[in-house]
Amino acid sequence: MVRTYQEALNFIHGRDRFKKAPTLERMRHFMALLGNPQEQLQMIHVAGTNGKGSTVAFLRDLLMADGQTVGTFTSPFITRFNERISRDGEPISDDELVALVQRVEPVVAQLDQELAEKGPTEFEIDTALMFCYFASHPVDTVVVEVGLGGLYDSTNIITPLVSVITTIGMDHMKILGDTIPKIAAQKAGIIKPNVPVVCGRLSADALAVMDQTAARQQTQVVALGRDYTVTNQPHEAWGERFAYRYAAWHWQHLQIDLLGPYQMDNAATALTAFITYQQLRHGAVTPATIRQGLAHTAWPGRFERLNDQPLIAIDGAHNEPAMVEMAALLRRHFATNEVYIVLAVLADKQYTQMVRTLLTVPNVHLIVTQFSGPGKRAAATPVELEEAVTVHDRVTMAADWPTALREALSKMSAEDLLLLTGSLYFISEVRHYFKDPDDPA
């Protein structure tokens, strides 16, 4: 019997992470035993290769600016597990998490007995905890982020009011498939009959999969670049500014505090989903709500400033599509600065290509390193990373990231940028160090 917060975390993290089967029957059975709490909720479902977290954050703040109470389910966490289940941006309390685990623990034990070695996974339990929490702590809207893929993700037992697919790129290929259409088909698995779909900036082959799936489900796709547009309106301040147009809605000079062209796409995708959702609920869409919601949005670990002079930032660009976006951001915003990058990624990522992509930016100096890695997942070692490129005078190696940090700080001037990037687990470690340097946890 779980009694303490640490015991609750041990129970959650002690489960298998992956026991994927091409079915949702186990999850449906699990939720039925818990009384199907998900059926009490009004939800927006968000899938995609990259941009899910930021899109969820923009949606949360748009809905809150409208006066709604908003639940969010996100992954992974940056500082503490509790962040994954939040209400109006406030993570679930330790005591509430313990109470939830106490509720699901006997049901998990029952399923373990029924299904032998095929009881609920860690993420299925996370999802169940979230559904139970928001059913017993009601909110107006729950924004649910898909864990992996879509079709067989444990969150996909829901029927949301709106489905969102942010981007499609090459990641988790061993699980989702090795081509864009195959990966798109997995993400399109969240499309439900008569539930409108909002897509971000997708390639033509990915969008074709969405349109075909939506047609079969008797619904329609609204896509960035085809049905709604975002136009960059550059300015000198931190963040991005853009014009937005969708059907009868158009606004100039919308401001966000998150940096990067892709964040404008994420904001526009969230805004379109918000408009669609409000129409279904007969809710209001006002310029004041839009401007307040977008300007307010912050998302830890997404080109987040940790220090101003010198400028130190972290970003969880954890796969090759994200590194392509990162390289574009650096060319656009930091072309006149020297950029020192400390990179640490998980071993199952395309680190060879990630290193090469960063080195296409001529003012980048790269220090490859490693971190401990979560659970059983290995981090790529510096030797593996350094072997990912031919001998290069802008790549060095450090045994661990604190050493890499010291090396970068010793070389850079006050006008330069130091960026720590790669795995979100690595970013979590770095952020904790900067935010709580005296906390040994």
Side-chain angles (χ1 to χ4, degrees):
M1 176 70 175
V2 164
R3 290 184 179 82
T4 67
Y5 175 70
Q6 190 55 52
E7 286 174 351
L9 288 186
N10 292 345
F11 170 76
I12 294 165
H13 296 321
R15 305 295 300 189
D16 280 347
R17 291 187 76 253
F18 290 111
K19 214 175 339 187
K20 290 285 181 186
T23 172
L24 290 170
E25 288 312 305
R26 179 174 60 205
M27 190 65 194
R28 289 197 176 98
H29 183 32
F30 188 10
M31 298 318 300
L33 293 173
L34 288 165
N36 284 319
Q38 76 280 6
E39 293 178 2
Q40 302 173 40
L41 309 175
Q42 287 203 110
M43 291 175 276
I44 300 173
H45 204 189
V46 181
T49 302
N50 291 319
K52 294 191 296 290
S54 299
T55 302
V56 168
F58 283 122
L59 263 169
R60 174 198 66 204
D61 289 334
L62 286 164
L63 293 161
M64 286 175 63
D66 182 57
Q68 299 185 42
T69 54
V70 185
T72 51
F73 180 59
T74 55
S75 60
F77 60 90
I78 298 296
T79 307
R80 298 186 84 223
F81 176 86
N82 305 44
E83 296 162 29
R84 299 188 63 172
I85 303 170
S86 294
R87 191 174 190 271
D88 286 351
E90 287 298 314
I92 184 175
S93 73
D94 293 359
D95 289 345
E96 287 167 327
L97 185 65
V98 170
L100 280 175
V101 171
Q102 288 170 343
R103 179 177 168 191
V104 305
E105 187 184 25
V107 177
V108 171
Q110 179 184 335
L111 286 167
D112 282 346
Q113 198 163 14
E114 277 182 31
L115 303 171
E117 295 301 309
K118 296 183 179 176
T121 64
E122 178 178 344
F123 190 73
E124 286 169 341
I125 290 168
D126 295 342
T127 307
L129 294 170
M130 177 268 295
F131 288 143
C132 290
Y133 180 67
F134 291 124
S136 58
H137 298 73
V139 294
D140 296 311
T141 305
V142 184
V143 185
V144 176
E145 179 184 332
V146 166
L148 176 63
L151 182 60
Y152 300 118
D153 187 76
S154 61
T155 63
N156 202 30
I157 60 167
I158 68 175
T159 301
L161 271 75
V162 179
S163 300
V164 182
I165 297 162
T166 57
T167 60
I168 305 291
M170 301 296 275
D171 195 19
H172 299 293
M173 282 98 77
K174 289 178 183 173
I175 299 168
L176 301 180
D178 56 3
T179 68
I180 291 294
K182 284 179 185 175
I183 294 170
Q186 290 291 319
K187 310 288 185 189
I190 72 164
I191 297 175
K192 303 292 194 305
N194 304 305
V195 175
V197 185
V198 175
C199 289
R201 196 177 297 280
L202 303 187
S203 61
D205 51 353
L207 184 54
V209 172
M210 300 305 154
D211 285 332
Q212 290 156 11
T213 308
R216 286 197 301 273
Q217 300 284 29
Q218 296 184 301
T219 188
Q220 284 188 311
V221 171
V222 173
L224 176 55
R226 181 181 71 185
D227 306 297
Y228 65 100
T229 59
V230 58
T231 307
N232 181 28
Q233 296 178 316
H235 65 141
E236 292 302 312
W238 182 271
E240 304 288 352
R241 191 175 64 182
F242 60 93
Y244 169 87
R245 183 176 291 271
Y246 168 48
W249 292 276
H250 40 93
W251 292 283
Q252 296 286 329
H253 304 298
L254 294 176
Q255 183 76 38
I256 58 173
D257 196 46
L258 299 179
L259 204 60
Y262 49 92
Q263 295 296 7
M264 291 187 282
D265 288 355
N266 294 335
T269 303
L271 178 49
T272 309
F274 171 74
I275 291 169
T276 306
Y277 182 74
Q278 289 294 87
Q279 286 181 299
L280 290 169
R281 298 174 74 250
H282 306 290
V285 177
T286 67
T289 296
I290 301 306
R291 292 186 187 281
Q292 179 191 336
L294 294 179
H296 178 260
T297 301
W299 192 235
R302 272 54 172 201
F303 219 94
E304 179 185 7
R305 280 178 293 183
L306 299 181
N307 193 67
D308 281 322
Q309 280 210 317
L311 179 57
I312 301 175
I314 54 174
D315 191 280
H318 61 287
N319 53 32
E320 169 58 13
M323 279 304 171
V324 171
E325 297 284 11
M326 174 60 65
L329 184 158
L330 294 172
R331 284 192 196 92
R332 183 172 155 205
H333 284 280
F334 299 99
T336 59
N337 312 74
E338 294 302 308
V339 178
Y340 291 84
I341 297 180
V342 175
L343 175 70
V345 296
L346 291 171
D348 60 0
K349 299 295 179 178
Q350 295 174 288
Y351 50 80
T352 303
Q353 194 53 48
M354 291 164 81
V355 167
R356 288 176 181 159
T357 296
L358 287 173
L359 289 171
T360 62
V361 184
N363 52 327
V364 157
H365 309 272
L366 191 58
I367 306 172
V368 294
T369 189
Q370 62 188 340
F371 67 111
S372 52
K376 299 171 186 170
R377 297 183 75 188
T381 64
V383 171
E384 288 174 309
L385 284 165
E386 202 173 43
E387 285 173 354
V389 289
T390 52
V391 177
H392 203 292
D393 60 0
R394 288 189 285 126
V395 183
T396 57
M397 187 176 76
D400 53 60
W401 73 260
T403 302
L405 179 65
R406 286 192 296 273
E407 181 184 326
L409 289 170
S410 70
K411 291 178 178 177
M412 62 189 289
S413 71
E415 291 74 40
D416 297 337
L417 166 67
L418 171 55
L419 173 65
L420 298 103
T421 189
S423 166
L424 284 163
Y425 298 100
F426 167 53
I427 295 312
S428 173
E429 216 172 285
V430 174
R431 191 174 192 273
H432 188 86
Y433 170 82
F434 273 90
K435 296 288 185 183
D436 300 292
D438 299 324
D439 183 352

